[in-house]
Amino acid sequence: MSGAGASTSTPAGYAQLWRADPGAWATAGSAWRGLTDPVRRRADGLDARIAALGTGWSGGAASAARGRVGGLRGALTDVLPALIEVDQVLAEFAARLAAAKARLAAAVAHADAGGLLVDRAGAVRPDPARPRPVDRLRPALTEVAAEVRGALALAGAADREAAARLGELTTAAVTGWVNVPPAWRPSPGAGPAEVSRWWAGLTPAERRWLVGQEPALVGRLDGVPVAARDQANRLLLAGRREELAARRRRLLAPLPPGLAELARVARLARVEAALRGLDTLGRRLAATGAPRAYLLGLDPAGDGRAVVALGNPDRAGAVLTYVPGMTADLADAPGELGRAARVLDRCAALGPGEETAAVLWLDYDAPDFLPEAARSRQAEDAGPALHRFQEGLRASHDVPPARQTVLGHSYGSVVVGIAARDHGLSADALVFVGSPGVGVEHAGELHMLPGQVWASTAPDDVIRLARPPEELARRAVLAATPLGPAAAALDGHELWFGHDPSDPGFGGRRFPSGRYGHTGYWEQGNPALDGMARIVLGR
């Protein structure tokens, strides 16, 4: 008997989802965010007017005028976080809509491969041009219909959530931005879980007040939702750039006593590189295309630090935290973010419809020179901050919890390993690429579940030469003796910071890399790139 009479219906909305344009929603959000600069300029103009009113005019009328202009300025600045939030809402809606469309496309491809058709109403039925027995078609009918329903359910949930969040903003705009300062703040030593509970207990008005009035506090608190931290840090972005620009102006001024010309040139070069990096990062933050970037931390002091997410880690089902290695600083942040983006792109290719996010965590002082990179001090200093950050991602994430993966490259793998060893990391998998050792002799010392520690070292990666000094000395002594060839094989898996994690004796799992050197793990065509993406997805 053929399957001509069998079919499975699906909920309404199939045709609407096919027609939906996620990019248009993302563009609309970007347009709202684009209003922040003119609004801020208008507010700054009112500051100038307030200052002008204080010159040559006093008395009650002058005070009233200054108060009125100050009130107008406050009304303008109060709306700034809301403009950013509209962008967040529409960008997240666009991302989830794109994921739903990808799932729908995968379901239709599944149907076609199984001899089925999905009609314009979303009903799944046998393809009359390829008749098959009903018994053989029924499992595929059920599977494809479930996949279509899942895609429509995701789109429907995204639509309802976006409508609700925009509705809240609309109500606040109509009634006025009533900002209420909170009664208390978490203590400086509060952990991310406590911070998360504190934030959850605030009213929307209190949260708005904190984002607008104390962005430096909100922007750095692990445990605060990613969306709020992004709003706060974007409000600080112009000021952070001005800090760097002011340093540059001071270095261009006449030399102060005692400052050598060579030192000034070196400092100036570093500041100018940081400015270029920040400007490039700023363009990525302003970009319209998916995934949206979230600014979770920025500090221009020293070499500069940045924490940037691609996609919202609080919403994604799989989240990568990438820790770069030696010489990484604010000037390098755009390039390092590009590496995280390549893993995210491969995740999208390998898992269409999966909601993923990637975070560049450059919140430590990376070594600038080899003598520093041969010591663990900077990795040890970074451990507590990385531990708190991962705890914060767990605390602020929407249910169900995400699969969290932490990836360290080169000296970044030392940071990840020592943080896991000494403090524990809230992660489902650890990944080390191009590693000089991770501070332990065996994967079991990293406090991870069995099978969730991964490593890869390219055959031509120079990191393989990062041998302990005592081994190098022994080899040098024995090289000219008949024992030289045998000495080369002794302790061949000990590196600067312990046993090579890509060696089977370490007790972790390995994935391959092509011959792309120390920095080529993210190159297209390198199997290591697919390996990292599969680990992030849990495949």
Side-chain angles (χ1 to χ4, degrees):
M1 182 177 68
S2 74
S7 67
T8 305
S9 62
T10 54
Y14 175 85
Q16 186 178 13
L17 180 55
W18 267 122
R19 293 193 302 269
D21 182 0
W25 289 104
T27 300
S30 181
W32 279 93
R33 173 169 39 86
L35 295 174
T36 57
D37 286 339
V39 168
R40 188 179 284 111
R41 286 194 297 270
R42 182 60 61 88
D44 291 342
L46 290 176
D47 274 340
R49 288 176 178 268
I50 292 171
L53 288 174
T55 303
W57 189 20
S58 61
S63 296
R66 284 193 293 270
R68 176 60 176 162
V69 176
L72 291 173
R73 183 197 183 283
L76 285 172
T77 56
D78 284 347
V79 81
L80 289 173
L83 295 175
I84 300 171
E85 187 172 355
V86 171
D87 173 42
Q88 291 174 338
V89 172
L90 295 181
E92 289 170 18
F93 173 62
R96 300 186 79 191
L97 199 60
K101 286 175 71 71
R103 292 185 188 184
L104 195 60
V108 172
H110 184 185
D112 183 66
L116 303 172
L117 291 176
V118 183
D119 65 23
R120 293 184 178 183
V124 185
R125 56 186 176 81
D127 183 352
R130 295 180 288 174
R132 297 185 185 182
V134 172
D135 290 345
R136 292 179 59 187
L137 289 174
R138 198 173 303 282
L141 275 167
T142 303
E143 290 173 7
V144 172
E147 291 168 0
V148 172
R149 285 195 297 270
L152 296 178
L154 176 59
D159 181 72
R160 290 189 296 273
E161 179 185 322
R165 292 173 66 184
L166 292 174
E168 292 173 4
L169 286 170
T170 301
T171 299
V174 171
T175 60
W177 300 105
V178 182
N179 292 322
V180 181
W184 68 282
R185 291 154 185 75
S187 63
E194 182 181 345
V195 169
S196 179
R197 289 191 295 270
W198 163 73
W199 187 265
L202 298 175
T203 66
E206 289 173 327
R207 295 172 188 164
R208 281 197 298 271
W209 189 93
L210 280 165
V211 170
Q213 302 300 320
E214 298 186 18
L217 170 69
V218 175
R220 69 171 184 267
L221 275 179
D222 293 316
V224 168
V226 163
R229 293 181 67 175
D230 177 60
Q231 293 169 29
N233 284 310
R234 283 175 183 265
L235 293 178
L236 296 168
L237 186 57
R240 300 297 192 224
R241 190 191 187 287
E242 177 54 31
E243 289 179 37
L244 278 173
R247 284 167 57 189
R248 181 179 182 276
R249 289 193 295 271
R250 288 194 297 270
L251 288 167
L252 289 171
L255 277 174
L259 182 61
E261 176 65 18
L262 187 60
R264 179 174 72 164
V265 170
R267 292 182 189 178
L268 181 60
R270 291 170 68 180
V271 169
E272 289 183 332
L275 269 171
R276 289 192 297 272
L278 183 55
D279 287 343
T280 304
L281 194 60
R283 289 192 288 274
R284 179 60 186 88
L285 291 167
T288 302
R292 186 188 189 276
Y294 292 76
L295 185 59
L296 305 185
L298 182 67
D299 184 356
D303 291 339
R305 304 183 180 193
V307 182
V308 184
L310 299 175
N312 187 343
D314 285 349
R315 310 302 308 274
V319 180
L320 168 68
T321 300
Y322 163 52
V323 183
M326 176 180 162
T327 74
D329 55 20
L330 186 56
D332 300 314
E336 299 291 1
L337 189 64
R339 290 177 169 178
R342 287 183 203 131
V343 179
L344 208 57
D345 288 344
R346 290 308 299 156
C347 287
L350 295 170
E354 299 275 355
E355 295 183 81
T356 55
V359 183
L360 165 65
W361 190 86
L362 180 48
D363 196 15
Y364 81 106
D365 180 22
D368 292 320
F369 304 102
L370 274 175
E372 292 178 306
R375 296 190 290 269
S376 62
R377 181 186 60 80
Q378 283 155 285
E380 291 166 356
D381 291 345
L386 181 58
H387 165 79
R388 283 194 307 271
F389 181 75
Q390 287 300 121
E391 292 290 322
L393 289 183
R394 287 286 194 210
S396 64
H397 194 276
D398 296 345
V399 293
R403 173 177 170 82
Q404 303 278 358
T405 300
V406 183
L407 162 68
H409 172 239
S410 192
Y411 194 84
S413 71
V414 187
V415 174
V416 174
I418 288 179
R421 180 195 71 189
D422 293 349
H423 309 282
L425 283 178
S426 187
D428 300 288
L430 301 183
V431 184
F432 307 118
V433 294
S435 175
V438 297
V440 300
E441 291 299 314
H442 193 272
E445 300 173 62
L446 297 172
H447 311 295
M448 296 292 295
L449 291 174
Q452 293 305 318
V453 176
W454 298 79
S456 181
T457 302
D460 58 344
D461 191 334
V462 295
I463 206 70
R464 293 177 178 273
L465 302 177
R467 303 294 181 182
E470 59 272 17
E471 180 184 339
L472 294 177
R474 181 172 64 250
R475 291 188 181 193
V477 170
L478 296 175
T481 74
L483 297 176
L490 294 175
D491 300 324
H493 301 295
E494 282 299 311
L495 301 175
W496 279 348
F497 301 101
H499 200 102
D500 181 355
S502 63
D503 174 62
F506 183 75
R509 301 170 72 179
R510 298 180 296 166
F511 59 99
S513 173
R515 300 183 67 86
Y516 288 83
H518 186 58
T519 60
Y521 295 93
W522 294 267
E523 292 296 325
Q524 297 295 334
N526 191 342
L529 182 57
D530 272 12
M532 289 184 279
R534 291 184 187 279
I535 295 165
V536 171
L537 294 170
R539 298 186 173 183

